[in-house]
Amino acid sequence: KRPFPEGPRQLYATKRYDIYPQRYGIGGIHGAYVWGKELGLLYGNRYVVVVVGDEVKRVYDLAPLLGPSAKGSKTATSFSTVIDGVLYGVVSPSTGYGAGGSTAYVVAVDLAKGKVLWRTAPGVVTSPFSIFGDALVTATTKNGRSSLVLHRLGDGQLLQTTPLKEAATSLSWDSRGVLYVGSANNKKQFFQVK
């Protein structure tokens, strides 16, 4: 049986400017997240629209919550996910892959209350983080030295730090629980998550 017997179709028959309001600027959708009956859309690396059924419940501009970047411009959120109504994202003035300077950090935002729950110290590599159980795993680089770090999801408490041999530029994982940490010279370091 085909998954879409009628073929592809638009989600809505007309444009939904309440979901993607142009007054907030034009930007691509960077994530769609479902928790319970709510749908969250992250677009422009800055706005979250929370939808229940066909009704827009909330629109958040994350920039005031997250504060100005080191250069005075508004921050950008990338590499994010939503778990139980909490958005976890990497925040940095530069949204590409790499070391991100000393300004990138991970943040947890309660989307029901529009409140920052916790944030890490600056220095996070602007690459997707991984979540294993109750731990968020990312890499940090400070003063040219990188570490693999684990934070508790609930409160952001630092659980573990493991120094890396090379400066980290990326982090990925596979279904076996193996973390791959990449470096600028294409060397990879591997870690088993237990």
Side-chain angles (χ1 to χ4, degrees):
K1 185 175 179 181
R2 293 180 8 201
F4 301 102
E6 292 87 36
R9 65 177 178 82
Q10 290 184 331
L11 183 60
Y12 297 103
T14 61
K15 289 184 180 179
R16 293 286 309 267
Y17 291 110
D18 56 334
I19 292 176
Y20 196 78
Q22 292 187 350
R23 70 179 177 270
Y24 296 119
I26 297 174
I29 293 178
H30 296 275
Y33 314 100
V34 176
W35 64 97
K37 295 182 178 182
E38 296 186 316
L39 165 70
L41 300 173
L42 172 65
Y43 69 95
N45 281 337
R46 180 174 163 171
Y47 303 99
V48 175
V49 177
V50 179
V51 181
V52 176
D54 263 357
E55 185 180 342
V56 172
K57 292 293 185 180
R58 298 176 293 285
V59 178
Y60 292 116
D61 179 353
L62 294 175
L65 291 176
L66 305 177
S69 70
K71 296 179 183 177
S73 62
K74 294 297 183 183
T75 57
T77 304
S78 58
F79 311 118
S80 60
T81 192
V82 173
I83 300 173
D84 297 328
V86 177
L87 178 127
Y88 300 91
V90 175
V91 178
S92 174
S94 67
T95 57
Y97 289 91
S102 61
T103 60
Y105 57 91
V106 175
V107 67
V109 177
D110 182 326
L111 292 177
K113 298 176 182 173
K115 175 181 165 188
V116 173
L117 300 174
W118 58 264
R119 71 177 73 196
T120 65
V124 171
V125 172
T126 53
S127 177
F129 49 79
S130 296
I131 295 175
F132 293 95
D134 189 35
L136 182 141
V137 183
T138 190
T140 60
T141 299
K142 293 180 183 175
N143 301 323
R145 298 197 152 283
S146 292
S147 298
L148 193 63
V149 294
L150 281 73
H151 293 274
R152 188 169 34 225
L153 276 180
D155 58 11
Q157 179 181 346
L158 181 63
L159 299 174
Q160 181 179 337
T161 300
T162 302
L164 299 171
K165 294 176 184 174
E166 304 281 336
T169 58
S170 65
L171 177 72
S172 59
W173 65 277
D174 69 15
S175 61
R176 299 171 296 167
V178 176
L179 285 169
Y180 305 87
V181 180
S183 65
N185 59 6
N186 288 330
K187 290 186 179 178
K188 290 196 186 290
Q189 299 172 72
F190 301 92
F191 298 89
Q192 180 71 46
V193 178
K194 296 180 180 182

